[in-house]
Amino acid sequence: MSVKEKFQKFLEERLPVQAFKDLSSHKMVPEHKQAFWYYFGGITLFFFIILVFTGMVLLFQYQPGLESSHASVLRIVTKVDFGWLIRSIHSWGANLMLAAAFIHMFSVYFMKAYQKPRELTWLTGLGLLGLGMGLGFTGYSLVWDDMAFFATKIGIDMMEGIPGGEYIADIIRGGPEMGGLTIQRMFALHVVILPWIFIGLLGAHLFFLQIHGNKIPEGIEKSGEYRKVPFFPNFIFSDLYVWLICLNLLAVLAAMYPWHIGAEADPLAPSPKGIKPEWYFMAMFQLLKLMPAHVAGMSGELFGNMLFGAAAMFWAAVPVWNPAGTVGRRAKLATYVGLLGLMFIIGFTIWGYTAHPV
Amino acid sequence: MTRRHWLDWILQGVTGLYALVLAFPLLKFLQSGEGEAEEKVTQIKIEKNVIPDPGTSKIFKFGSKPGIIIRRPDGSVHALSATCMHLGCTVDYDKSEDKITCACHGGRYDASTGANISGPPPAPLPLLKLEEKDDGFYISKA
Amino acid sequence: MNYPQWIIEGVGGPGIIGIIAVSHVFISQFAVGGGLFLPITEYLARRNNDPEMLEYLHTHTRFFTILTSVVGAMFGVGIWFAIGLVHPDATAFLIRNFVLAWTIEWVWFFLEILSLIVYYYGWKTLSPRTHMMVGWVYMFTAIMTLVTINGILCFMLTPGDWIQNQSFWSAMFNPTYWPSLLMRFLVCLALAGLYGLITAARMSTANGLRTRMLQYSARWFIPTFVFMLFAMGWYMLMLPEETRNMLFSGMSGFARGNFAILTRISMLTILFTATMGFMIFFGAYANPEEFGGGKIAFLMISALFVTGAGEWTREVLRKPYVIHSVMYSNALLAADAKDMETAERPFLPRIEWRKDGESDGQAMFRTQCRSCHTLDGYRPLREFLKGRDEKSILSLLKIMRPGEKNPYRNIMPPTVGTDTELAMLARYLTSEVSSAK
């Protein structure tokens, strides 16, 4: 008996290996003309794994602190061997993960994969997207350059506009003004608190997916124009193939367009010209800018936030107002709302960028 | 071994080699540290009043590592590296014995030459070059 | 300096050469790889008496013939046009020194195309034995075209002993000749397999031919995957030490516009070789049923990228020369520059050809800067010199004169000319910079 066989025997005697093998050999995944969109969940997961890995490695060189945050990032990108590369992979990976997550969300929405029995998968997915944006926000601030400083400041100030938000803002800031404790708390959120919640939710999300399987869009299911392919090896190998493409894409972006670092944050300096948030906050940022000082007796900020909050709640509640089995006009309504949401996000993002040239 | 076996074996080996080459940046990244100050320091100055009397000593910073300057009871002044040759603890001058001793494992060195006298140290303490001038002691690498 | 020169804004002259040359390499190395792929596959099919595999090969040959003999050859001629117009001096130099090699190359190429045409059109009419023979002739001549051209390409980076003895054979079999030949040969095999996948994916699934041919073509990538790393290592060892060190200059620091990019591109080359190996394994070999259009497209894009990256690395390693240690990238001869280290010599009289109405400053600019720089596109001078006045541009130009003190000597050719001439160039550059939008 070879070493490999011995090891397999060792495992089989202690773990239900055969049960797992049966499970994976019987698992089938639908394949049809829209199956392309299934890849995006996996892509998001791939970038998340990359982020966890590069993030852990960056902890070996990054030093949080008012004096050291910016200095250590500067040291990473200029002095540390391949520091620019690891940091670029982390930054680019974060942006690509969020992009993939958005595409994943919209494709799931338009396939109506949120309907019974998949409501929990939908909600955990939205939670993951929110956490992902939170990770983006906290991670961005850790560089502590001028852009990051003001973007963080604006972000936290915005929270103050919500009732009870001052309390949260004070906790995050560690006082009335941004300072060393802000970095410390952002750091704690970014590397421990949010990732742990993220991993927990991710586990639930994947568990639900495993129970319910991939949703076949109704039209395709009715017409029968689909086939089932084995999860192993067909689907998993295709997924690996796509992951390799993503790895190449990420490597090219990180190597050819290393991530920028600005001058060290100076609370007394005027905000840098053309200041704008990361692209995934752009639509929200642009919407809030449109708000007049006062709307209906409350501050424009508050109104904008409430508007956005209400829209998000409405979006999350789509399984309630468009449950499985709805047909005709009402079923189409959800699609129109989705298109409207998509157009709003794309439109306002483009508008935001044209209004804030670099 | 069949031909097929050999091929699998080679392919796995080469895959490992690719992994190694691609892990090279990661290993270099983790290995990168600070440690530049050490090279830059070539000479430091110590005021005379730091060791005014015979039997006094002072541990000072030489680059990133400690050094020790000693005025022995006979009045002679010596400067040595203060990192124990055994496991890198910082040594001290023991006035009563007129020896350099290490508290960690009881190593002892001669206070002038740095020669290892007893205990675990495998080698003598390196001497630093000492120049006495009117305004102080100038210490540099030997 | 002696011939008319084609000036291109935007991507720049070298950019045009690069685009055409990479396209040519991507197809012509496939042609060489196909030189092995076609007869070897035919041999295997005939030995195993496998009419389906022969049918596959026939389909593949049609695709192959059209792509390599028409498109590949067109790009090849395109390179001649482009280099002759963009860099006439270097082209003239290569023609003068390699007349014999170009002639040999042309003969092989002619035989290659001839045998390919006979091979394709004789598919049904020739006897199997004769057809096989034609195939082997094609294989031999195709490989010989690579064997010949490889010497000239490598010579430009590592002229080796030629600098002392001026011998044709030293020039051909220069230090990087063998590792480069191995690398290119491996790329040829990989490309043969990759294009083989394209035809295979279009085969019928009915009798398992598609799966069989996908797996067969995928195996053609194995030698490349196994030996490429070693070939790259060998190549690196044969480079002159200062050139090799440039490859490691980008480990730390992310500044743009220096050699750091070289480190990044060469790392990407290794990554892509590895990932393409896995893509072919997971895509075509282990999961042939799901292998289709999109996956092929990404595989081909990766292959095109890595071809471009490899050629680009070789070209940049040569900086600041077009022919290493002999001719700078702006056609200035290294020997002339050496001569000018000690004595100031006028440069304008050396410019044999003038554009209509060209001022002296503009002529200096065209002959000394334009080979690499554009005004607003690739390596844009308007951007690089922004904010500098005439005095500071002039002092920069003077710093770049030949000699050990020139801090740019490993990146850019030195500036040459008298003080007055450099002042004319500075004035011209200032006027261009200030007229920026």
Side-chain angles (χ1 to χ4, degrees), chain C residues 4-8 12-17 80-89 91 370-371:
Chain C
Q5 205 179 352
W6 189 26
I7 304 299
I8 305 150
I16 295 282
I17 297 178
W80 276 108
F81 271 104
I83 64 169
L85 291 170
V86 171
H87 211 307
D89 291 274
T91 311
R370 266 298 197 179
S371 302

Side-chain angles (χ1 to χ4, degrees), chain A residues 31 39 77-85 227 229 233-234 237-238 240-241 244-245 247-248 251-252 255-256 258-261, chain C residues 250-254 261 263-265 267-268 271-272 275 278-283 286-287 289-291 295-296 298-299 302 305:
Chain A
E31 169 68 36
Y39 285 125
V77 297
T78 55
K79 296 245 168 61
V80 175
D81 286 343
F82 296 108
W84 56 271
L85 178 67
R227 64 199 168 97
V229 300
N234 296 35
F237 279 7
S238 288
L240 276 174
Y241 195 96
L244 286 165
I245 294 170
L247 178 67
N248 284 357
V252 170
M256 305 302 287
W259 208 261
H260 169 83
I261 177 170
Chain C
M251 289 209 316
S252 63
F254 71 143
I261 192 100
T263 314
R264 301 177 204 160
I265 296 274
M267 275 163 46
L268 286 178
L271 175 75
F272 270 64
T275 51
F278 286 110
M279 279 157 88
I280 290 172
F281 176 75
F282 288 123
N287 189 16
E289 288 134 70
E290 313 297 329
F291 190 75
K295 286 181 182 170
I296 294 178
F298 275 108
L299 208 49
S302 298
F305 176 85

Side-chain angles (χ1 to χ4, degrees), chain B residues 1-141:
Chain B
M1 283 251 251
T2 60
R3 198 170 67 174
R4 185 66 214 236
H5 251 92
W6 272 104
L7 189 64
D8 281 353
W9 195 80
I10 290 170
L11 283 177
Q12 281 165 17
V14 172
T15 304
L17 207 60
Y18 274 105
L20 215 63
V21 172
L22 293 172
F24 172 73
L26 191 68
L27 298 176
K28 287 298 272 184
F29 176 85
L30 291 177
Q31 189 208 16
S32 284
E34 284 163 327
E36 282 159 32
E38 199 186 337
E39 305 301 318
K40 283 178 192 151
V41 175
T42 53
Q43 193 182 46
I44 64 159
K45 182 188 154 192
I46 290 181
E47 299 296 331
K48 289 204 166 170
N49 59 14
V50 167
I51 42 167
D53 307 315
T56 52
S57 68
K58 172 78 185 166
I59 291 179
F60 56 88
K61 208 171 167 250
F62 189 77
S64 56
K65 297 212 170 95
I68 186 164
I69 185 164
I70 303 166
R71 192 187 287 275
R72 292 185 66 181
D74 63 5
S76 61
V77 180
H78 307 277
L80 301 96
S81 153
T83 305
C84 181
M85 299 306 285
H86 177 219
L87 287 172
C89 289
T90 301
V91 296
D92 199 6
Y93 174 66
D94 185 341
K95 193 178 164 185
S96 59
E97 255 194 292
D98 189 23
K99 293 276 179 310
I100 298 172
T101 58
C102 179
C104 292
H105 304 94
R108 284 155 82 238
Y109 301 88
D110 186 277
S112 303
T113 60
N116 42 331
I117 301 169
S118 67
L125 283 178
L127 280 169
L128 294 173
K129 198 172 148 199
L130 179 94
E131 269 181 282
E132 186 169 353
K133 288 187 184 165
D134 291 342
D135 59 339
F137 298 109
Y138 286 80
I139 292 163
S140 53
K141 271 197 178 144

